[in-house]
Amino acid sequence: MADVVIGLDLGTGGVRAIAVNLQGQVVAQTTQSYPLLTPRPGWTEQQPADWVKASLTALSEVAGQIEGQQAIALGLSGQMHGMVPLDGDGQVIRPAILWNDQRTGAAVVEIEAAVPRAELIQRTGNPAITGFQLPKLVWLRNEEPQAYEQVRQILLPKDYLGYVLTGAAVSEPSDASGIGCLNLASRQWDSEILSALDISPDLFPEVVKSTAVAGRLKPELAERTGLPAGLPVVAGGGDNAAAAIGLGISDRNLGRGSLSIGTSGVIFAPCDRPTPDPEGRVHLFCHADGGYHLLGVTLAAGGALRWYRDTFAPSIDFADLMALAEQSEPGARGVLFLPHLAGERSPYLDPDTRGAWVNLSLAHTQGDLIRAVLEGVAFSLRATLEVIQDIAPVTQLLATGGGVRSPLWFHLLADVLGTELVAPKAEEGAAYGAAILAMVGVGAYPSLEAAFEILPEAIEAVQPRSQAAYEAAFERYTPLYESLKVVR
C-alpha cells in the first residue's frame, strides 16, 4: 500500500485539501467554500464552524479518492493574522476577525503608544498593523469587554483547525510571527511587549517547529473522515510560507525568492537572520524552514485588472484586454496608474491611500489605460523589491498566480523588476507546501533539503530587458504617492 501525505490550506474563500505521494505527485484534491461575513464597512469575519465543516468534508473527499493508499500525515496551512477567541471550554466566543479587517486603527495607535514603533519593528520585525492579530485582541478588550473577559485562548485560523482535529492548541513560527508579539530572535512570545499592553502571554499557544507533530487525529473525526485514527497532524505554516516551501524557496538558496500575482501581488525573499527594514516598509516573518523571510504586498494586483474589467469592460475577457494592452507601448504613452484601490501595504502601510490614473489626454486609448494598470502594479512591486534588495538580495523570482500566465504581463514584470522570472512547472500552492512539511515531520524525508529534490523543475525563464521607457515612467511614478496625499 503506497504512502501519501495530506496537505490542507484554510483559505479566505475556501479550504483546499490534497493528497501527495512520496514522489511529490498530487494524487487527489478537492476544494470546499464557505461564506465571508462583512457586518460593517471595513470589517471581515468568518464563522470557525464553517471552516471545520468544510475541512472535514474536504478531508472525507480526499480520503475517498485515495482508497488503496495509506495516509501517513496531515500538514496544515492557512490564512494568516486572523483571531479566533476561545473560552475556558475551548468554545468560540465570537466570529473570527480576518487578516483583511480594518477596524483596528485605534488599537494600532494604542499599541505604538505603549511600545514605540522602532522597538516593535526591532523585536517583532513589523510595526503594529491593522490586519495583524494583536491589534484585534486590543480592539476586543476595548469594544467587546464582555467577550474579552471570557477569553482564555487566542488562536490563528489554521491553529484553531488543528485544535479541533487533535485537541492540542499549538502554533508555529511562520504564522505566529504575523500576530504582532512574537520575538523573532527567540521565536517565543515577547513578554515585555505583552506586559506593556497588560496582556497575559498565557492567552497564546505554545510555539513549536513548523515540521513538528502538533497532535494526532481524534478517533471520532477519523471515523467521520475515513482517515486513520491517530494520524499525525503536523503544525505546517502560514499560507505564504507554506507556498514558498512548495516551490523550494528556503534560506538554503538565498538568491531565489517568489512573485505571486493573484488578487494581491506578493514578493517573498528568504533570509537567514532576522533583519527588519528599520522603517517597517516590508514585513519580516519567520519562515517554515527555520529561517526568516521578507514579504512585500501590493494589495490590488490582479485585483486591479479585475476591477478595471468589471467596471469599464465587463463584456471583454481578460485575453482580449491583454491584446488591447499590447497595442499600446512600454510606458503606456505617458499614462501612469496607482494601484492603491484598497489602501496599500508595501512600502507605505497606508490603509487610506487610493488609486489614480495620471496624465490622461484625449489621445489616449483603452489599450493605454489597460497597459497603465499592468505597469502600475509592476511599479508598485518594484518599489517594494527595492526595499527588499537592500536587506535580502534576490536574483531570481519564481513567478506564480493567474497574472503571470499572461505572456505580456510576465515579460513586463521581468523588465520593470529587473529580475529573472521563472515559471514553475507545477503550482500547487500552500496545501502542497503543507504536505511537504508533513513529509519531513513524520520522517518520510530526513530534511526539507531532501524533500525539495522531489519538486518539479521550472519550465520557463525570462531574462529582464532594459527598457528606457519603463525607467522613465518609474521615475515619474515614485513621487505620486506623496503628491496625491494632499488630495485626501
Side-chain angles (χ1 to χ4, degrees):
M1 185 177 292
D3 290 341
V4 299
V5 294
I6 296 173
L8 187 147
D9 177 37
L10 189 73
T12 309
V15 61
R16 181 171 184 243
I18 64 174
V20 182
N21 66 25
L22 299 190
Q23 292 73 50
Q25 298 164 324
V26 176
V27 296
Q29 59 182 304
T30 188
T31 301
Q32 298 290 322
S33 62
Y34 32 71
L36 177 70
L37 310 177
T38 54
R40 297 187 192 179
W43 289 27
T44 56
E45 300 179 349
Q46 283 177 328
Q47 293 287 359
D50 292 338
W51 298 338
V52 173
K53 180 181 178 182
S55 296
L56 293 176
T57 299
L59 292 173
S60 298
E61 291 193 1
V62 166
Q65 294 176 36
I66 59 169
E67 290 183 3
Q69 301 173 87
Q70 176 70 32
I72 61 171
L74 165 63
L76 300 177
S77 180
Q79 52 173 295
M80 295 178 66
H81 311 306
M83 182 184 74
V84 184
L86 305 180
D87 64 18
D89 295 323
Q91 299 301 307
V92 175
I93 294 169
R94 70 168 327 280
I97 305 176
L98 303 190
W99 61 276
N100 51 357
D101 188 283
Q102 295 295 324
R103 76 185 72 182
T104 61
V108 164
V109 173
E110 181 178 339
I111 291 169
E112 294 196 344
V115 184
R117 169 180 279 224
E119 186 174 349
L120 273 175
I121 293 172
Q122 189 61 39
R123 287 173 172 271
T124 72
N126 300 280
I129 295 173
T130 52
F132 281 18
Q133 191 193 84
L134 184 62
K136 295 176 173 67
L137 185 58
V138 173
W139 178 89
L140 188 70
R141 180 171 64 186
N142 294 339
E143 302 298 329
E144 296 181 359
Q146 290 181 325
Y148 184 81
E149 286 297 317
Q150 300 176 56
V151 174
R152 296 296 178 269
Q153 186 108 73
I154 295 290
L155 295 177
L156 292 157
K158 82 169 191 328
D159 298 337
Y160 172 71
L161 182 60
Y163 170 69
V164 171
L165 294 174
T166 69
V170 302
S171 192
E172 50 73 44
S174 72
D175 214 356
S177 55
I179 286 176
C181 57
L182 189 83
N183 187 294
L184 291 193
S186 68
R187 294 175 173 253
Q188 298 299 322
W189 308 116
D190 194 309
S191 58
E192 293 184 19
I193 290 175
L194 293 173
S195 176
L197 295 169
D198 193 26
I199 293 174
S200 171
D202 294 338
L203 294 179
F204 301 93
E206 178 188 3
V207 180
V208 301
K209 290 183 178 181
S210 299
T211 54
V213 174
R216 295 182 179 274
L217 186 63
K218 294 177 179 178
E220 62 271 24
L221 296 182
E223 183 177 354
R224 180 171 171 181
T225 59
L227 294 171
L231 180 72
V233 177
V234 172
D239 52 4
N240 286 303
I245 291 295
L247 293 171
I249 295 173
S250 164
D251 66 3
R252 283 68 162 176
N253 187 352
L254 292 174
R256 182 172 64 183
S258 67
L259 166 68
S260 172
I261 303 291
T263 299
S264 62
V266 179
I267 295 177
F268 184 110
C271 45
D272 56 3
R273 56 181 58 87
T275 307
D277 171 51
E279 299 175 47
R281 293 170 294 176
V282 294
H283 302 310
L284 174 64
F285 297 131
C286 296
H287 192 10
D289 68 348
Y292 301 88
H293 72 269
L294 294 169
L295 194 75
V297 181
T298 291
L299 288 177
L305 183 63
R306 178 173 291 278
W307 165 81
Y308 176 88
R309 198 281 301 267
D310 292 349
T311 305
F312 298 106
S315 61
I316 301 178
D317 64 29
F318 286 107
D320 290 335
L321 288 181
M322 292 299 183
L324 287 169
E326 286 192 278
Q327 296 174 16
S328 183
E329 59 189 38
R333 299 203 301 150
V335 181
L336 294 170
F337 177 75
L338 283 179
H340 311 321
L341 301 174
E344 196 53 282
R345 293 278 280 273
S346 307
Y348 309 115
L349 290 178
D350 185 351
D352 298 318
T353 188
R354 292 294 179 261
W357 272 293
V358 176
N359 203 37
L360 289 170
S361 77
L362 290 172
H364 286 122
T365 67
Q366 186 177 29
D368 297 327
L369 295 184
I370 300 166
R371 188 173 190 115
V373 170
L374 305 181
E375 292 182 359
V377 171
F379 293 149
S380 177
L381 290 164
R382 174 167 166 175
T384 293
L385 183 60
E386 289 188 345
V387 177
I388 290 173
Q389 292 285 36
D390 287 339
I391 305 168
V394 293
T395 57
Q396 182 189 80
L397 295 171
L398 295 181
T400 65
V404 300
R405 297 191 188 109
S406 158
L408 170 63
W409 212 357
F410 191 42
H411 287 79
L412 186 158
L413 284 160
D415 295 344
V416 170
L417 296 177
T419 305
E420 180 186 48
L421 298 187
V422 178
K425 184 175 182 180
E427 181 189 332
E428 298 294 350
Y432 190 79
I436 297 296
L437 290 166
M439 289 181 190
V440 177
V442 296
Y445 286 92
S447 66
L448 280 171
E449 294 95 324
F452 288 161
E453 294 297 321
I454 67 172
L455 300 181
E457 296 293 326
I459 58 172
E460 180 183 5
V462 172
Q463 300 296 330
R465 300 163 298 181
S466 178
Q467 294 273 14
Y470 289 147
E471 294 302 314
F474 184 67
E475 288 297 316
R476 291 184 289 116
Y477 172 91
T478 49
L480 283 179
Y481 169 75
E482 290 295 336
S483 66
L484 290 178
K485 282 174 71 174
V486 299
V487 178
R488 289 193 256 149

